[in-house]
């Protein structure tokens, strides 16, 4: 249970996050900044990490997984260049924080998580926040959405050795994929546009994500 004093404290910390860690760097998309100013990030972290909810670093969410650093969430969202007509596929629901940011900026979000426990907890937080434009699937996101569907945007929130082919097939012409591509320990964050059926890739920055584990990604071991 969060008391009034804590509510005030989180509001101040959220403001510092926006001004110092996001706008103070290269996050210029006002819609992204507004949404992240609204969302209570403390709802998405385990109770023993609430006090650190606005620190600009990833935090553990259980099962060896993390909620991504706020700056990286903002950067990836900005790179997606979203509008209210976009249908977005997200791989790696995790805590649901990034899912909530996407849901506030897009038409429909389709999110896949391989751990049942994480997906269920994310679903409960988004329901508590009244976010109802999200569909959830538990399984291997590297194989794409479970039904035939084309997406305007795809966000991969875990490291992949390459963009999985099923995702290229489910991306609309001119659509964008944002993903950390590389090895197990370090990756390049890239934004790829689908032009005439092929991806054209642009480097954004170096990054470090947990692995996407699946048929078209990394092995578990
Ligand atoms: N976006 C999340 C957030 O805001 O909390 C953080 C995602 S975390 C860095 C990566 C997530 O990808 C983990 O929850 C992990 O279980 C999930 N994951 C790994 N392999 C997956 C796969 N093949 N399909 C779906 N999710 C996967």
């Amino acid at each position: 249970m969060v008391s009034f004093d804590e509510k005030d404290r989180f509001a101040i910390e959220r403001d510092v996050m926006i001004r110092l860690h996001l706008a103070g760097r290269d996050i210029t998309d006002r819609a992204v900044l507004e949404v992240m100013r609204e969302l209570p990030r403390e709802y998405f972290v385990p109770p023993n990490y609430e006090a650190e909810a606005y620190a600009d670093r990833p935090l553990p969410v259980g099962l060896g997984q993390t909620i991504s650093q706020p700056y990286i969430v903002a950067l990836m969202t900005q790179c997606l260049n979203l509008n209210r007509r976009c249908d977005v596929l997200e791989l790696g629901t995790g805590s649901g924080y990034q899912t909530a940011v996407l849901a506030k900026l897009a038409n429909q979000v389709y999110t896949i998580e391989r751990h049942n426990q994480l997906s269920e907890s994310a679903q409960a937080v988004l329901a508590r926040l009244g976010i109802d434009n999200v569909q959830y699937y538990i399984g291997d996101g590297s194989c794409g959405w479970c039904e035939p569907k084309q997406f305007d945007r795809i966000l991969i929130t875990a490291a992949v050795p390459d963009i999985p082919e099923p995702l290229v097939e489910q991306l609309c012409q001119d659509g964008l994929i944002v993903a950390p591509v590389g090895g197990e320990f370090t990756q390049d964050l890239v934004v790829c546009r689908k032009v005439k059926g092929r991806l054209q890739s642009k480097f954004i920055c170096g990054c470090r994500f947990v692995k996407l584990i699946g048929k078209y990604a990394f092995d578990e071991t």
Side-chain angles (χ1 to χ4, degrees), residues 39 71 81 110 135 174 182:
L39 279 173
Y71 170 71
N81 194 21
Y110 299 75
Q135 294 196 36
D174 246 7

Side-chain angles (χ1 to χ4, degrees), residues 23-38:
R25 296 177 72 181
D26 52 358
I27 306 303
T28 52
D29 185 325
R30 295 171 80 93
V32 173
L33 294 170
E34 267 168 38
V35 162
M36 290 183 68
R37 185 185 286 283
E38 257 175 49

Side-chain angles (χ1 to χ4, degrees), residues 135-203:
Q135 294 196 36
Y136 303 87
Y137 179 69
I138 295 156
D140 177 7
S142 76
C143 298
W145 189 247
C146 47
E147 290 163 354
K149 166 112 190 99
Q150 292 281 289
F151 297 96
D152 304 293
R153 305 285 188 267
I154 298 179
L155 176 61
I156 308 179
T157 72
V160 283
D162 282 302
I163 304 291
E165 194 49 41
L167 302 185
V168 182
E169 281 161 24
Q170 289 194 330
L171 183 66
C172 295
Q173 283 305 325
D174 246 7
L176 300 175
I177 297 187
V178 172
V181 179
E184 227 178 284
F185 301 109
T186 58
Q187 306 89 33
D188 291 346
L189 186 68
V190 295
V191 54
C192 308
R193 184 180 293 279
K194 187 169 171 181
V195 180
K196 295 185 182 153
R198 296 172 66 99
L199 293 184
Q200 294 181 349
S201 169
K202 183 175 136 198
F203 172 80

Side-chain angles (χ1 to χ4, degrees), residues 41 44 58-59 61-69 73 76 90-102 111-116 118-119 122 137-143 155-160 208-218:
R41 195 171 151 88
F44 295 85
L59 296 173
V61 291
L63 304 174
Q65 304 305 319
T66 51
I67 175 172
S68 302
Q69 173 192 1
V73 171
M76 292 193 300
E90 180 196 34
L91 269 60
T93 316
S95 69
Y97 180 72
Q98 172 79 74
T99 317
V101 172
L102 298 174
T111 184
I112 309 176
E113 171 55 55
R114 68 189 282 268
H115 291 294
N116 190 18
L118 293 179
S119 179
Y137 179 69
I138 295 156
D140 177 7
S142 76
C143 298
L155 176 61
I156 308 179
T157 72
V160 283
R208 186 172 185 162
F209 277 78
V210 295
K211 291 187 292 184
L212 193 85
I213 293 164
K215 185 172 174 192
Y216 297 91
F218 288 102

